[in-house]
Amino acid sequence: MAGLALAMFVGLFAFGQQIVGYSDPHGKVQLALLATFAFGLLVGYRASA
């Protein structure tokens, strides 16, 4: 499951503008994706520990 989540994150982070078609001239959508992924890692780590 972690591998799938990582693959989806990388795909959206790198190719999200082409796949989904959003406009992100200032990088705010990529920042939100990065923050969401980081918080998900933190919560997942704390839940398993």
Side-chain angles (χ1 to χ4, degrees), residues 10-11 14 16-17 20 23-29 31 33-35 37 39 43-45 49:
V10 170
Q17 290 178 345
V20 183
S23 176
D24 188 25
H26 301 292
K28 292 184 180 182
V29 174
L31 180 62
L33 284 169
L34 182 62
F37 186 73
F39 291 143
V43 169
Y45 175 73

Side-chain angles (χ1 to χ4, degrees), residues 3-49:
L4 178 62
L6 182 61
M8 289 175 64
F9 167 72
V10 170
L12 280 174
F13 193 80
F15 305 107
Q17 290 178 345
Q18 290 87 13
I19 296 171
V20 183
Y22 61 80
S23 176
D24 188 25
H26 301 292
K28 292 184 180 182
V29 174
Q30 285 188 335
L31 180 62
L33 284 169
L34 182 62
T36 302
F37 186 73
F39 291 143
L41 284 177
L42 179 66
V43 169
Y45 175 73
R46 289 185 49 94
S48 67

